[in-house]
Short mmCIF file of all heavy atoms in Angstrom, two decimals:
data_model
loop_
_atom_site.label_atom_id
_atom_site.label_comp_id
_atom_site.label_asym_id
_atom_site.label_seq_id
_atom_site.Cartn_x
_atom_site.Cartn_y
_atom_site.Cartn_z
N VAL A 1 -20.92 -8.48 11.08
CA VAL A 1 -19.97 -9.50 10.74
C VAL A 1 -19.27 -9.97 11.97
O VAL A 1 -18.82 -9.16 12.79
CB VAL A 1 -18.92 -8.91 9.76
CG1 VAL A 1 -17.87 -9.89 9.47
CG2 VAL A 1 -19.59 -8.44 8.51
N GLN A 2 -19.16 -11.27 12.17
CA GLN A 2 -18.46 -11.81 13.31
C GLN A 2 -17.06 -12.13 12.90
O GLN A 2 -16.74 -12.47 11.78
CB GLN A 2 -19.17 -13.03 13.82
CG GLN A 2 -20.52 -12.71 14.42
CD GLN A 2 -21.21 -13.94 15.03
OE1 GLN A 2 -20.61 -15.04 14.97
NE2 GLN A 2 -22.34 -13.78 15.59
N GLY A 3 -16.17 -12.11 13.89
CA GLY A 3 -14.77 -12.37 13.61
C GLY A 3 -14.03 -11.17 13.20
O GLY A 3 -14.63 -10.07 12.99
N PRO A 4 -12.74 -11.24 13.05
CA PRO A 4 -11.94 -10.07 12.71
C PRO A 4 -12.15 -9.72 11.23
O PRO A 4 -12.40 -10.57 10.41
CB PRO A 4 -10.53 -10.56 12.99
CG PRO A 4 -10.58 -12.00 12.89
CD PRO A 4 -11.96 -12.42 13.33
N PRO A 5 -12.04 -8.42 10.93
CA PRO A 5 -12.13 -8.01 9.52
C PRO A 5 -10.86 -8.41 8.75
O PRO A 5 -9.78 -8.55 9.37
CB PRO A 5 -12.30 -6.51 9.59
CG PRO A 5 -11.64 -6.13 10.91
CD PRO A 5 -11.84 -7.30 11.82
N ILE A 6 -11.00 -8.58 7.48
CA ILE A 6 -9.85 -8.84 6.62
C ILE A 6 -9.65 -7.72 5.66
O ILE A 6 -10.51 -7.45 4.81
CB ILE A 6 -10.06 -10.18 5.86
CG1 ILE A 6 -10.23 -11.34 6.82
CG2 ILE A 6 -8.86 -10.49 4.98
CD1 ILE A 6 -10.64 -12.62 6.22
N PRO A 7 -8.53 -6.99 5.77
CA PRO A 7 -8.32 -5.85 4.87
C PRO A 7 -7.94 -6.29 3.47
O PRO A 7 -7.37 -7.39 3.29
CB PRO A 7 -7.19 -5.08 5.53
CG PRO A 7 -6.40 -6.12 6.18
CD PRO A 7 -7.43 -7.17 6.65
N PHE A 8 -8.27 -5.50 2.48
CA PHE A 8 -7.81 -5.75 1.12
C PHE A 8 -6.47 -5.02 1.03
O PHE A 8 -6.40 -3.84 0.95
CB PHE A 8 -8.82 -5.23 0.08
CG PHE A 8 -8.36 -5.50 -1.30
CD1 PHE A 8 -8.19 -6.80 -1.75
CD2 PHE A 8 -8.06 -4.44 -2.14
CE1 PHE A 8 -7.79 -7.04 -3.07
CE2 PHE A 8 -7.62 -4.72 -3.42
CZ PHE A 8 -7.46 -5.99 -3.90
N LEU A 9 -5.39 -5.80 1.12
CA LEU A 9 -4.05 -5.23 1.20
C LEU A 9 -3.65 -4.47 -0.08
O LEU A 9 -2.82 -3.57 0.03
CB LEU A 9 -3.04 -6.29 1.52
CG LEU A 9 -3.10 -6.84 2.90
CD1 LEU A 9 -2.09 -7.97 3.11
CD2 LEU A 9 -2.97 -5.78 3.94
N GLY A 10 -4.29 -4.77 -1.21
CA GLY A 10 -3.96 -4.09 -2.44
C GLY A 10 -4.22 -2.59 -2.33
O GLY A 10 -3.41 -1.76 -2.82
N ILE A 11 -5.27 -2.18 -1.68
CA ILE A 11 -5.58 -0.76 -1.50
C ILE A 11 -4.56 -0.14 -0.57
O ILE A 11 -4.08 0.94 -0.87
CB ILE A 11 -7.01 -0.58 -0.97
CG1 ILE A 11 -8.02 -1.04 -2.01
CG2 ILE A 11 -7.25 0.84 -0.51
CD1 ILE A 11 -9.47 -1.04 -1.55
N SER A 12 -4.26 -0.81 0.54
CA SER A 12 -3.29 -0.23 1.46
C SER A 12 -1.91 -0.07 0.84
O SER A 12 -1.23 0.94 1.02
CB SER A 12 -3.20 -1.08 2.72
OG SER A 12 -4.44 -1.10 3.37
N LEU A 13 -1.48 -1.09 0.09
CA LEU A 13 -0.14 -1.01 -0.59
C LEU A 13 -0.15 0.09 -1.65
O LEU A 13 0.85 0.75 -1.80
CB LEU A 13 0.19 -2.37 -1.19
CG LEU A 13 0.42 -3.49 -0.17
CD1 LEU A 13 0.66 -4.80 -0.87
CD2 LEU A 13 1.64 -3.17 0.70
N THR A 14 -1.27 0.25 -2.37
CA THR A 14 -1.37 1.31 -3.32
C THR A 14 -1.25 2.67 -2.64
O THR A 14 -0.55 3.55 -3.12
CB THR A 14 -2.66 1.21 -4.14
OG1 THR A 14 -2.67 -0.05 -4.82
CG2 THR A 14 -2.81 2.32 -5.13
N ASP A 15 -1.98 2.82 -1.55
CA ASP A 15 -1.96 4.08 -0.79
C ASP A 15 -0.51 4.36 -0.32
O ASP A 15 -0.04 5.53 -0.47
CB ASP A 15 -2.83 4.05 0.47
CG ASP A 15 -4.35 4.08 0.03
OD1 ASP A 15 -4.64 4.38 -1.12
OD2 ASP A 15 -5.17 3.77 0.94
N ILE A 16 0.20 3.37 0.19
CA ILE A 16 1.55 3.58 0.68
C ILE A 16 2.46 3.96 -0.49
O ILE A 16 3.28 4.90 -0.38
CB ILE A 16 2.06 2.33 1.37
CG1 ILE A 16 1.33 2.15 2.72
CG2 ILE A 16 3.56 2.37 1.61
CD1 ILE A 16 1.54 0.80 3.40
N THR A 17 2.37 3.28 -1.61
CA THR A 17 3.18 3.59 -2.79
C THR A 17 2.90 4.99 -3.28
O THR A 17 3.85 5.73 -3.56
CB THR A 17 2.88 2.56 -3.90
OG1 THR A 17 3.18 1.26 -3.40
CG2 THR A 17 3.73 2.85 -5.11
N MET A 18 1.61 5.38 -3.37
CA MET A 18 1.31 6.74 -3.87
C MET A 18 1.79 7.80 -2.93
O MET A 18 2.28 8.82 -3.34
CB MET A 18 -0.19 6.86 -4.13
CG MET A 18 -0.72 6.02 -5.26
SD MET A 18 0.06 6.45 -6.83
CE MET A 18 0.82 4.88 -7.28
N LEU A 19 1.63 7.59 -1.63
CA LEU A 19 2.10 8.57 -0.63
C LEU A 19 3.60 8.67 -0.68
O LEU A 19 4.15 9.79 -0.64
CB LEU A 19 1.68 8.13 0.78
CG LEU A 19 0.24 8.42 1.11
CD1 LEU A 19 -0.16 7.65 2.40
CD2 LEU A 19 -0.05 9.90 1.25
N ASP A 20 4.29 7.55 -0.84
CA ASP A 20 5.79 7.60 -0.85
C ASP A 20 6.28 8.21 -2.15
O ASP A 20 7.19 9.07 -2.12
CB ASP A 20 6.33 6.20 -0.65
CG ASP A 20 7.82 6.22 -0.47
OD1 ASP A 20 8.33 7.08 0.26
OD2 ASP A 20 8.51 5.34 -1.07
N ASP A 21 5.75 7.80 -3.29
CA ASP A 21 6.24 8.30 -4.57
C ASP A 21 5.72 9.71 -4.88
O ASP A 21 6.44 10.50 -5.58
CB ASP A 21 5.79 7.37 -5.74
CG ASP A 21 6.51 6.04 -5.68
OD1 ASP A 21 7.52 5.90 -4.95
OD2 ASP A 21 6.03 5.11 -6.38
N GLY A 22 4.55 10.07 -4.39
CA GLY A 22 3.94 11.35 -4.75
C GLY A 22 4.27 12.50 -3.86
O GLY A 22 3.92 13.61 -4.14
N ASN A 23 5.01 12.25 -2.79
CA ASN A 23 5.37 13.30 -1.87
C ASN A 23 6.83 13.20 -1.49
O ASN A 23 7.34 12.12 -1.15
CB ASN A 23 4.52 13.13 -0.56
CG ASN A 23 3.04 13.29 -0.76
OD1 ASN A 23 2.60 14.41 -1.01
ND2 ASN A 23 2.32 12.19 -0.76
N ALA A 24 7.46 14.35 -1.57
CA ALA A 24 8.93 14.40 -1.19
C ALA A 24 9.08 14.13 0.30
O ALA A 24 8.23 14.56 1.13
CB ALA A 24 9.50 15.78 -1.55
N SER A 25 10.14 13.50 0.70
CA SER A 25 10.47 13.28 2.10
C SER A 25 10.93 14.52 2.76
O SER A 25 10.74 14.67 4.01
CB SER A 25 11.47 12.14 2.25
OG SER A 25 10.99 10.93 1.83
N PHE A 26 11.50 15.44 2.00
CA PHE A 26 11.95 16.73 2.55
C PHE A 26 11.43 17.84 1.71
O PHE A 26 11.40 17.76 0.49
CB PHE A 26 13.54 16.72 2.54
CG PHE A 26 14.13 15.75 3.52
CD1 PHE A 26 14.50 14.47 3.07
CD2 PHE A 26 14.34 16.05 4.84
CE1 PHE A 26 15.01 13.54 3.92
CE2 PHE A 26 14.87 15.14 5.72
CZ PHE A 26 15.25 13.86 5.24
N VAL A 27 11.03 18.89 2.35
CA VAL A 27 10.55 20.12 1.70
C VAL A 27 11.39 21.25 2.30
O VAL A 27 11.37 21.50 3.47
CB VAL A 27 9.05 20.33 1.91
CG1 VAL A 27 8.61 21.67 1.30
CG2 VAL A 27 8.28 19.16 1.39
N ARG A 28 12.14 21.93 1.44
CA ARG A 28 12.99 23.05 1.85
C ARG A 28 13.92 22.61 3.02
O ARG A 28 14.01 23.29 4.04
CB ARG A 28 12.18 24.27 2.25
CG ARG A 28 11.62 24.98 0.99
CD ARG A 28 10.80 26.18 1.36
NE ARG A 28 9.40 25.77 1.30
CZ ARG A 28 8.44 26.16 2.10
NH1 ARG A 28 8.68 27.04 3.05
NH2 ARG A 28 7.20 25.74 1.96
N ASP A 29 14.55 21.46 2.86
CA ASP A 29 15.46 20.90 3.84
C ASP A 29 14.81 20.56 5.15
O ASP A 29 15.49 20.42 6.15
CB ASP A 29 16.67 21.80 4.05
CG ASP A 29 17.53 21.91 2.79
OD1 ASP A 29 17.59 20.95 2.03
OD2 ASP A 29 18.14 22.98 2.59
N LEU A 30 13.47 20.47 5.21
CA LEU A 30 12.77 20.04 6.38
C LEU A 30 11.98 18.75 6.14
O LEU A 30 11.59 18.49 5.01
CB LEU A 30 11.78 21.15 6.84
CG LEU A 30 12.38 22.50 7.21
CD1 LEU A 30 11.30 23.50 7.45
CD2 LEU A 30 13.30 22.35 8.40
N VAL A 31 11.88 17.95 7.15
CA VAL A 31 11.12 16.71 6.99
C VAL A 31 9.67 16.98 6.65
O VAL A 31 9.02 17.85 7.29
CB VAL A 31 11.20 15.85 8.28
CG1 VAL A 31 10.30 14.63 8.20
CG2 VAL A 31 12.61 15.42 8.58
N ASN A 32 9.13 16.31 5.67
CA ASN A 32 7.74 16.47 5.24
C ASN A 32 6.85 15.66 6.23
O ASN A 32 6.54 14.52 5.96
CB ASN A 32 7.56 16.01 3.80
CG ASN A 32 6.18 16.26 3.29
OD1 ASN A 32 5.27 16.70 4.01
ND2 ASN A 32 5.99 16.02 2.00
N VAL A 33 6.44 16.35 7.29
CA VAL A 33 5.70 15.69 8.34
C VAL A 33 4.35 15.17 7.76
O VAL A 33 3.86 14.09 8.20
CB VAL A 33 5.48 16.66 9.51
CG1 VAL A 33 4.56 16.05 10.57
CG2 VAL A 33 6.78 17.08 10.09
N TYR A 34 3.74 15.91 6.90
CA TYR A 34 2.44 15.49 6.30
C TYR A 34 2.56 14.11 5.70
O TYR A 34 1.71 13.24 5.92
CB TYR A 34 2.00 16.47 5.22
CG TYR A 34 0.78 16.04 4.48
CD1 TYR A 34 -0.50 16.17 4.98
CD2 TYR A 34 0.94 15.46 3.22
CE1 TYR A 34 -1.58 15.70 4.28
CE2 TYR A 34 -0.13 15.03 2.49
CZ TYR A 34 -1.42 15.18 3.01
OH TYR A 34 -2.49 14.70 2.29
N LYS A 35 3.64 13.88 4.91
CA LYS A 35 3.84 12.60 4.23
C LYS A 35 3.91 11.46 5.28
O LYS A 35 3.20 10.45 5.16
CB LYS A 35 5.13 12.62 3.40
CG LYS A 35 5.50 11.28 2.84
CD LYS A 35 6.84 11.31 2.12
CE LYS A 35 7.21 9.94 1.57
NZ LYS A 35 8.41 9.99 0.80
N PHE A 36 4.70 11.64 6.32
CA PHE A 36 4.89 10.59 7.26
C PHE A 36 3.71 10.40 8.19
O PHE A 36 3.44 9.29 8.64
CB PHE A 36 6.20 10.82 8.05
CG PHE A 36 7.39 10.69 7.13
CD1 PHE A 36 8.07 11.80 6.67
CD2 PHE A 36 7.84 9.44 6.71
CE1 PHE A 36 9.16 11.68 5.82
CE2 PHE A 36 8.91 9.30 5.85
CZ PHE A 36 9.60 10.43 5.39
N GLU A 37 2.93 11.45 8.43
CA GLU A 37 1.69 11.26 9.20
C GLU A 37 0.70 10.44 8.41
O GLU A 37 -0.01 9.57 8.92
CB GLU A 37 1.06 12.65 9.50
CG GLU A 37 1.76 13.35 10.63
CD GLU A 37 1.14 14.70 10.92
OE1 GLU A 37 0.39 15.25 10.04
OE2 GLU A 37 1.39 15.23 12.02
N LYS A 38 0.60 10.71 7.10
CA LYS A 38 -0.33 9.91 6.24
C LYS A 38 0.16 8.47 6.13
O LYS A 38 -0.65 7.55 6.16
CB LYS A 38 -0.44 10.52 4.83
CG LYS A 38 -1.17 11.85 4.83
CD LYS A 38 -2.56 11.63 5.27
CE LYS A 38 -3.38 12.92 5.21
NZ LYS A 38 -4.72 12.74 5.70
N LEU A 39 1.46 8.23 5.97
CA LEU A 39 1.96 6.87 5.95
C LEU A 39 1.67 6.15 7.25
O LEU A 39 1.21 4.98 7.26
CB LEU A 39 3.47 6.86 5.66
CG LEU A 39 3.89 7.15 4.24
CD1 LEU A 39 5.43 7.36 4.17
CD2 LEU A 39 3.48 6.02 3.32
N HIS A 40 1.85 6.84 8.33
CA HIS A 40 1.58 6.26 9.67
C HIS A 40 0.09 5.90 9.77
O HIS A 40 -0.26 4.80 10.31
CB HIS A 40 1.94 7.25 10.76
CG HIS A 40 1.59 6.81 12.12
ND1 HIS A 40 0.37 7.10 12.75
CD2 HIS A 40 2.26 6.00 12.99
CE1 HIS A 40 0.36 6.55 13.92
NE2 HIS A 40 1.46 5.89 14.12
N SER A 41 -0.76 6.72 9.24
CA SER A 41 -2.20 6.48 9.28
C SER A 41 -2.59 5.18 8.53
O SER A 41 -3.32 4.36 9.01
CB SER A 41 -2.96 7.67 8.70
OG SER A 41 -4.28 7.43 8.60
N VAL A 42 -2.03 5.04 7.33
CA VAL A 42 -2.35 3.80 6.50
C VAL A 42 -1.78 2.60 7.19
O VAL A 42 -2.49 1.53 7.32
CB VAL A 42 -1.76 3.98 5.09
CG1 VAL A 42 -1.92 2.68 4.32
CG2 VAL A 42 -2.40 5.13 4.35
N ILE A 43 -0.59 2.63 7.66
CA ILE A 43 0.06 1.45 8.30
C ILE A 43 -0.66 1.15 9.60
O ILE A 43 -0.90 -0.04 9.88
CB ILE A 43 1.57 1.71 8.51
CG1 ILE A 43 2.26 1.76 7.18
CG2 ILE A 43 2.18 0.62 9.41
CD1 ILE A 43 3.69 2.31 7.21
N SER A 44 -1.05 2.14 10.39
CA SER A 44 -1.78 1.89 11.63
C SER A 44 -3.14 1.20 11.38
O SER A 44 -3.59 0.35 12.14
CB SER A 44 -2.00 3.18 12.34
OG SER A 44 -0.75 3.72 12.80
N GLU A 45 -3.80 1.59 10.30
CA GLU A 45 -5.08 0.99 9.93
C GLU A 45 -4.87 -0.49 9.65
O GLU A 45 -5.66 -1.31 10.08
CB GLU A 45 -5.60 1.74 8.69
CG GLU A 45 -7.01 1.25 8.30
CD GLU A 45 -7.57 2.05 7.14
OE1 GLU A 45 -7.59 3.25 7.24
OE2 GLU A 45 -7.92 1.40 6.13
N VAL A 46 -3.86 -0.87 8.92
CA VAL A 46 -3.59 -2.28 8.59
C VAL A 46 -3.23 -3.02 9.91
O VAL A 46 -3.74 -4.13 10.15
CB VAL A 46 -2.48 -2.43 7.58
CG1 VAL A 46 -2.07 -3.90 7.41
CG2 VAL A 46 -2.88 -1.85 6.23
N LEU A 47 -2.44 -2.44 10.73
CA LEU A 47 -2.05 -3.08 11.97
C LEU A 47 -3.26 -3.29 12.93
O LEU A 47 -3.28 -4.24 13.67
CB LEU A 47 -0.98 -2.29 12.71
CG LEU A 47 0.41 -2.27 12.02
CD1 LEU A 47 1.37 -1.34 12.76
CD2 LEU A 47 0.98 -3.65 11.93
N ALA A 48 -4.21 -2.40 12.85
CA ALA A 48 -5.42 -2.47 13.71
C ALA A 48 -6.19 -3.79 13.40
O ALA A 48 -6.79 -4.35 14.30
CB ALA A 48 -6.30 -1.26 13.51
N PHE A 49 -6.14 -4.25 12.14
CA PHE A 49 -6.85 -5.48 11.79
C PHE A 49 -6.21 -6.69 12.50
O PHE A 49 -6.87 -7.68 12.68
CB PHE A 49 -6.76 -5.70 10.30
CG PHE A 49 -7.66 -4.77 9.52
CD1 PHE A 49 -7.14 -3.79 8.68
CD2 PHE A 49 -9.01 -4.92 9.57
CE1 PHE A 49 -7.98 -2.96 7.95
CE2 PHE A 49 -9.90 -4.09 8.84
CZ PHE A 49 -9.35 -3.10 8.02
N GLN A 50 -4.98 -6.59 12.87
CA GLN A 50 -4.28 -7.70 13.50
C GLN A 50 -4.66 -7.80 15.03
O GLN A 50 -4.21 -8.75 15.68
CB GLN A 50 -2.76 -7.56 13.33
CG GLN A 50 -2.33 -7.65 11.88
CD GLN A 50 -0.83 -7.50 11.77
OE1 GLN A 50 -0.10 -7.18 12.70
NE2 GLN A 50 -0.34 -7.74 10.57
N GLN A 51 -5.35 -6.86 15.53
CA GLN A 51 -5.71 -6.86 16.95
C GLN A 51 -6.87 -7.74 17.24
O GLN A 51 -7.23 -7.96 18.44
CB GLN A 51 -6.00 -5.43 17.42
CG GLN A 51 -4.88 -4.45 17.19
CD GLN A 51 -3.58 -4.94 17.86
OE1 GLN A 51 -3.56 -5.32 19.02
NE2 GLN A 51 -2.45 -4.89 17.11
N HIS A 52 -7.54 -8.31 16.29
CA HIS A 52 -8.74 -9.13 16.48
C HIS A 52 -8.41 -10.54 15.99
O HIS A 52 -8.51 -10.89 14.82
CB HIS A 52 -9.90 -8.58 15.72
CG HIS A 52 -10.21 -7.17 16.02
ND1 HIS A 52 -10.88 -6.80 17.15
CD2 HIS A 52 -9.92 -6.05 15.35
CE1 HIS A 52 -11.01 -5.47 17.18
NE2 HIS A 52 -10.41 -5.01 16.10
N PRO A 53 -8.04 -11.47 16.89
CA PRO A 53 -7.66 -12.80 16.53
C PRO A 53 -8.86 -13.67 16.20
O PRO A 53 -9.99 -13.37 16.68
CB PRO A 53 -6.95 -13.36 17.73
CG PRO A 53 -7.58 -12.64 18.88
CD PRO A 53 -7.88 -11.25 18.35
N TYR A 54 -8.68 -14.66 15.36
CA TYR A 54 -9.69 -15.65 15.07
C TYR A 54 -9.68 -16.63 16.26
O TYR A 54 -8.68 -17.05 16.73
CB TYR A 54 -9.40 -16.44 13.79
CG TYR A 54 -9.74 -15.67 12.57
CD1 TYR A 54 -8.69 -15.00 11.83
CD2 TYR A 54 -11.03 -15.52 12.09
CE1 TYR A 54 -9.04 -14.28 10.69
CE2 TYR A 54 -11.29 -14.87 10.94
CZ TYR A 54 -10.31 -14.26 10.23
OH TYR A 54 -10.60 -13.50 9.11
N VAL A 55 -10.92 -16.93 16.75
CA VAL A 55 -11.03 -17.90 17.81
C VAL A 55 -12.13 -18.90 17.43
O VAL A 55 -13.06 -18.61 16.67
CB VAL A 55 -11.38 -17.25 19.12
CG1 VAL A 55 -10.20 -16.44 19.66
CG2 VAL A 55 -12.60 -16.40 19.03
N ASP A 56 -12.03 -20.12 17.95
CA ASP A 56 -13.00 -21.16 17.76
C ASP A 56 -13.32 -21.42 16.32
O ASP A 56 -14.49 -21.53 15.91
CB ASP A 56 -14.34 -20.79 18.52
CG ASP A 56 -14.11 -20.70 20.00
OD1 ASP A 56 -13.25 -21.38 20.52
OD2 ASP A 56 -14.87 -19.88 20.61
N ILE A 57 -12.27 -21.57 15.51
CA ILE A 57 -12.49 -21.92 14.12
C ILE A 57 -12.55 -23.44 14.04
O ILE A 57 -11.63 -24.14 14.39
CB ILE A 57 -11.33 -21.43 13.22
CG1 ILE A 57 -11.31 -19.92 13.24
CG2 ILE A 57 -11.51 -21.96 11.79
CD1 ILE A 57 -10.20 -19.30 12.45
N ALA A 58 -13.70 -23.92 13.60
CA ALA A 58 -13.87 -25.35 13.49
C ALA A 58 -13.16 -25.91 12.28
O ALA A 58 -13.04 -25.26 11.25
CB ALA A 58 -15.39 -25.67 13.37
N SER A 59 -12.61 -27.07 12.41
CA SER A 59 -11.91 -27.71 11.32
C SER A 59 -12.93 -28.12 10.24
O SER A 59 -13.94 -28.73 10.55
CB SER A 59 -11.14 -28.94 11.82
OG SER A 59 -10.56 -29.62 10.78
N HIS A 60 -12.61 -27.86 9.03
CA HIS A 60 -13.49 -28.22 7.94
C HIS A 60 -12.67 -29.16 7.02
O HIS A 60 -11.87 -28.70 6.15
CB HIS A 60 -13.96 -26.95 7.14
CG HIS A 60 -15.07 -27.20 6.27
ND1 HIS A 60 -14.94 -27.90 5.08
CD2 HIS A 60 -16.33 -26.85 6.35
CE1 HIS A 60 -16.10 -27.95 4.47
NE2 HIS A 60 -17.00 -27.32 5.23
N GLU A 61 -12.83 -30.46 7.23
CA GLU A 61 -11.98 -31.46 6.59
C GLU A 61 -12.12 -31.44 5.07
O GLU A 61 -11.10 -31.59 4.37
CB GLU A 61 -12.28 -32.84 7.14
CG GLU A 61 -11.85 -33.00 8.60
CD GLU A 61 -12.13 -34.41 9.10
OE1 GLU A 61 -12.14 -35.33 8.31
OE2 GLU A 61 -12.31 -34.50 10.33
N GLN A 62 -13.31 -31.24 4.54
CA GLN A 62 -13.48 -31.28 3.09
C GLN A 62 -12.73 -30.06 2.45
O GLN A 62 -12.09 -30.24 1.41
CB GLN A 62 -14.95 -31.20 2.74
CG GLN A 62 -15.69 -32.49 3.05
CD GLN A 62 -17.21 -32.36 2.71
OE1 GLN A 62 -17.76 -31.27 2.75
NE2 GLN A 62 -17.81 -33.47 2.40
N LEU A 63 -12.85 -28.92 3.07
CA LEU A 63 -12.13 -27.75 2.55
C LEU A 63 -10.61 -27.95 2.60
O LEU A 63 -9.87 -27.64 1.69
CB LEU A 63 -12.52 -26.48 3.33
CG LEU A 63 -11.84 -25.17 2.89
CD1 LEU A 63 -12.15 -24.89 1.41
CD2 LEU A 63 -12.31 -24.05 3.77
N ALA A 64 -10.10 -28.49 3.76
CA ALA A 64 -8.71 -28.75 3.86
C ALA A 64 -8.19 -29.70 2.79
O ALA A 64 -7.13 -29.52 2.19
CB ALA A 64 -8.39 -29.30 5.27
N LEU A 65 -8.96 -30.75 2.53
CA LEU A 65 -8.61 -31.74 1.51
C LEU A 65 -8.56 -31.07 0.11
O LEU A 65 -7.63 -31.26 -0.66
CB LEU A 65 -9.60 -32.91 1.53
CG LEU A 65 -9.32 -34.01 0.55
CD1 LEU A 65 -7.97 -34.64 0.84
CD2 LEU A 65 -10.43 -35.06 0.63
N LEU A 66 -9.59 -30.26 -0.19
CA LEU A 66 -9.61 -29.54 -1.42
C LEU A 66 -8.42 -28.62 -1.57
O LEU A 66 -7.75 -28.64 -2.67
CB LEU A 66 -10.92 -28.72 -1.54
CG LEU A 66 -11.01 -27.80 -2.75
CD1 LEU A 66 -11.26 -28.63 -4.02
CD2 LEU A 66 -12.09 -26.78 -2.56
N LEU A 67 -8.07 -27.89 -0.57
CA LEU A 67 -6.94 -26.97 -0.67
C LEU A 67 -5.61 -27.71 -0.78
O LEU A 67 -4.70 -27.22 -1.48
CB LEU A 67 -6.91 -26.05 0.56
CG LEU A 67 -8.06 -25.07 0.62
CD1 LEU A 67 -8.04 -24.26 1.95
CD2 LEU A 67 -8.07 -24.11 -0.56
N THR A 68 -5.44 -28.86 -0.14
CA THR A 68 -4.17 -29.54 -0.23
C THR A 68 -4.04 -30.25 -1.60
O THR A 68 -2.90 -30.62 -1.99
CB THR A 68 -4.05 -30.60 0.91
OG1 THR A 68 -5.18 -31.48 0.86
CG2 THR A 68 -3.95 -29.93 2.25
N GLU A 69 -5.11 -30.47 -2.28
CA GLU A 69 -5.02 -31.15 -3.58
C GLU A 69 -4.93 -30.18 -4.77
O GLU A 69 -4.88 -30.65 -5.93
CB GLU A 69 -6.24 -32.09 -3.75
CG GLU A 69 -6.21 -33.27 -2.78
CD GLU A 69 -7.42 -34.15 -2.99
OE1 GLU A 69 -8.37 -33.81 -3.70
OE2 GLU A 69 -7.41 -35.24 -2.35
N LEU A 70 -4.93 -28.90 -4.51
CA LEU A 70 -4.80 -27.93 -5.59
C LEU A 70 -3.46 -28.07 -6.28
O LEU A 70 -2.45 -28.32 -5.59
CB LEU A 70 -4.99 -26.48 -5.08
CG LEU A 70 -6.41 -26.08 -4.64
CD1 LEU A 70 -6.39 -24.73 -4.01
CD2 LEU A 70 -7.36 -26.11 -5.85
N PRO A 71 -3.39 -27.88 -7.57
CA PRO A 71 -2.07 -27.94 -8.27
C PRO A 71 -1.20 -26.75 -7.83
O PRO A 71 -1.66 -25.70 -7.55
CB PRO A 71 -2.43 -27.85 -9.73
CG PRO A 71 -3.78 -27.24 -9.80
CD PRO A 71 -4.48 -27.57 -8.52
N HIS A 72 0.05 -27.05 -7.75
CA HIS A 72 1.05 -26.01 -7.30
C HIS A 72 1.42 -25.09 -8.44
O HIS A 72 1.83 -25.31 -9.44
CB HIS A 72 2.26 -26.63 -6.68
CG HIS A 72 1.91 -27.38 -5.48
ND1 HIS A 72 1.91 -26.76 -4.22
CD2 HIS A 72 1.54 -28.66 -5.23
CE1 HIS A 72 1.58 -27.68 -3.28
NE2 HIS A 72 1.34 -28.84 -3.90
#
């Protein structure tokens, strides 16, 4: 595949929600490092997708016209 990958954000948002809701932030008055390491991992994965910019995208006039005429 050429160009940058596009993540499916629904999966990442679900992972973040489940990690946050399913794990306590504190365990026995100590920070739950496991929870925050996993959250960091998911967020870092999404941010990694932003490191690959799109370049040399040709203008596609028919597609632009179609998209601008879609009902709001």
Side-chain angles (χ1 to χ4, degrees):
V1 176
Q2 292 184 0
I6 301 173
F8 181 63
L9 291 178
I11 292 174
S12 299
L13 293 174
T14 299
D15 289 348
I16 290 169
T17 301
M18 293 298 120
L19 283 167
D20 188 42
D21 290 347
N23 297 286
S25 294
F26 294 92
V27 177
R28 288 180 258 145
D29 294 329
L30 299 173
V31 174
N32 185 354
V33 176
Y34 171 81
K35 172 185 178 175
F36 293 103
E37 284 178 342
K38 291 296 182 183
L39 284 170
H40 176 267
S41 174
V42 173
I43 293 168
S44 293
E45 185 177 305
V46 172
L47 291 175
F49 287 112
Q50 296 179 352
Q51 301 304 313
H52 305 282
Y54 283 100
V55 291
D56 298 330
I57 297 177
S59 175
H60 195 287
E61 292 182 28
Q62 289 177 333
L63 179 60
L65 182 62
L66 173 72
L67 293 175
T68 56
E69 292 179 352
L70 288 174
H72 296 270

